[in-house]
Amino acid sequence: MAVYDRKLYPIDIVDLSEDLLDPLSRAFSRWWEGGVDVLLGLACIKEAFRQRCLSAGADMACRIAMLKADRRMVGFCLSVPQPKMNQSSALVTHALALRHLKWRIWTSPRLWRYVNRFLVRRIKARFFGRGGKEQMSAFAAQDGLLDGKTEYVAQLIVDADYRFGNIGFDLMLDMEEQARRRSARRVCGLVNRNNIRAQRVYAAVGWKRTSPGDTNHDHFMMHKDLEVLPE
Ligand SMILES: CC(C)(COP(=O)(O)OP(=O)(O)OC[C@H]1O[C@@H](n2cnc3c(N)ncnc32)[C@H](O)[C@@H]1OP(=O)(O)O)[C@@H](O)C(=O)NCCC(=O)NCCS
């Protein structure tokens, strides 16, 4: 049982729209301090949200939690209805990241440090099979439920001042409902082995480990099979 008084926040959950793009990008910069998306700068984040969620070729769905009282943004969930085998969790694509990196790296020592850590992680995963991220292929091997029937959660984040209530939980249930409407039969996502908070919220909405025995990956896959609702 949670060892804190869980607060209840009356919220609405809405789709990202053009008028919410700037406030969401600024909120994300505050909430995900230190994440590579944020180190690449606000312009990069805005471009990524517009490209991935609002443009004609959008491949991501973004649902935002807003307080009913004052329409304050307090969290969002980013998902990919048609994930690829090597689906990354990043909002910012490699191409977009490289375009902004070549300008920002000269003025951001933190970005230098991030790139170094990133390369070390990749080398460890590639040559020593340690760390790294579990791949979607974990499913393909199981039952091939990858052909457009699996929806992938790329990001779930709640403003630190509004956690331990219901927002993460409600965003995950909402994401599941949206996925069902898109005829998904499974929802899944990667979670860091040390991120117990996220693992607990995922488990609370019925997610389970995809490869319980896996001890290699820093980020392991969790998922939930969605029962098909009667017509
Ligand atoms: C992980 C994160 C999204 C959780 O969001 P949150 O808003 O704090 O979580 P909630 O308030 O919804 O859940 C808090 C608890 O209430 C429970 N809960 C919430 N609503 C509930 C409900 N309606 N019924 C039953 N339980 C409920 C949750 O299961 C959780 O239980 P626990 O404390 O026993 O684990 C948040 O901590 C965060 O943004 N972390 C940083 C970013 C991150 O790590 N994202 C995940 C990447 S994989």
Side-chain angles (χ1 to χ4, degrees):
M1 186 50 211
V3 285
Y4 56 86
D5 301 337
R6 198 154 61 76
K7 302 181 251 353
L8 206 56
Y9 300 103
I11 56 170
D12 289 322
I13 300 180
V14 300
D15 283 327
L16 172 61
S17 53
E18 190 62 38
D19 60 325
L20 294 178
L21 183 62
D22 184 73
L24 180 69
S25 303
R26 292 177 188 285
F28 184 39
S29 303
R30 288 195 309 278
W31 300 339
W32 198 235
E33 232 265 320
V36 65
D37 320 60
V38 177
L39 294 176
L40 289 165
L42 184 62
C44 180
I45 292 175
K46 276 182 86 170
E47 192 176 346
F49 272 123
R50 180 175 281 117
Q51 192 187 73
R52 308 295 299 275
C53 305
L54 298 176
S55 68
D59 65 334
M60 284 184 158
C62 182
R63 298 282 287 172
I64 304 168
M66 303 174 93
L67 294 183
K68 280 185 189 298
D70 58 6
R71 310 313 290 161
R72 179 195 183 96
M73 280 184 190
V74 285
F76 72 86
C77 180
L78 205 51
S79 65
V80 184
Q82 309 270 336
K84 294 182 282 304
M85 190 69 87
N86 58 352
Q87 182 67 49
S88 88
S89 293
L91 166 67
V92 180
T93 59
H94 286 169
L96 191 57
L98 288 175
R99 187 143 51 77
H100 286 266
L101 189 70
K102 66 178 186 234
W103 302 117
R104 288 196 58 98
I105 195 128
W106 311 114
T107 56
S108 168
R110 292 177 71 191
L111 204 43
W112 264 115
R113 285 199 293 279
Y114 181 90
V115 170
N116 287 328
R117 285 199 308 274
F118 174 81
L119 293 173
V120 169
R121 275 204 309 272
R122 279 296 176 95
I123 292 164
K124 260 176 66 182
R126 171 67 61 84
F127 299 105
F128 305 100
R130 298 293 309 159
K133 297 181 175 178
E134 191 174 359
Q135 296 296 316
M136 295 284 282
S137 48
F139 288 130
Q142 270 178 23
D143 52 20
L145 246 185
L146 239 179
D147 46 8
K149 296 270 184 296
T150 297
E151 183 142 342
Y152 179 87
V153 172
Q155 179 66 276
L156 171 74
I157 190 161
V158 173
D159 181 336
D161 298 338
Y162 294 86
R163 290 178 190 166
F164 302 105
N166 56 292
I167 299 168
F169 189 96
D170 291 356
L171 279 167
M172 288 299 288
L173 288 182
D174 170 82
M175 176 272 161
E176 198 183 299
E177 189 46 42
Q178 299 294 316
R180 240 195 221 98
R181 288 190 191 153
R182 290 186 278 261
S183 324
R185 292 260 303 290
R186 168 178 288 152
V187 285
C188 69
L190 280 171
V191 61
N192 186 294
R193 184 170 294 283
N194 308 320
N195 192 344
I196 305 306
R197 284 254 15 96
Q199 290 167 35
R200 286 178 65 94
V201 172
Y202 290 2
V205 292
W207 289 44
K208 59 184 183 203
R209 287 277 311 267
T210 305
S211 321
D214 170 76
T215 57
N216 261 348
H217 297 98
D218 288 344
H219 291 75
F220 55 67
M221 192 70 74
M222 292 181 78
H223 74 277
K224 178 178 181 180
D225 293 330
L226 305 180
E227 71 284 357
V228 181
L229 291 180
E231 293 294 326

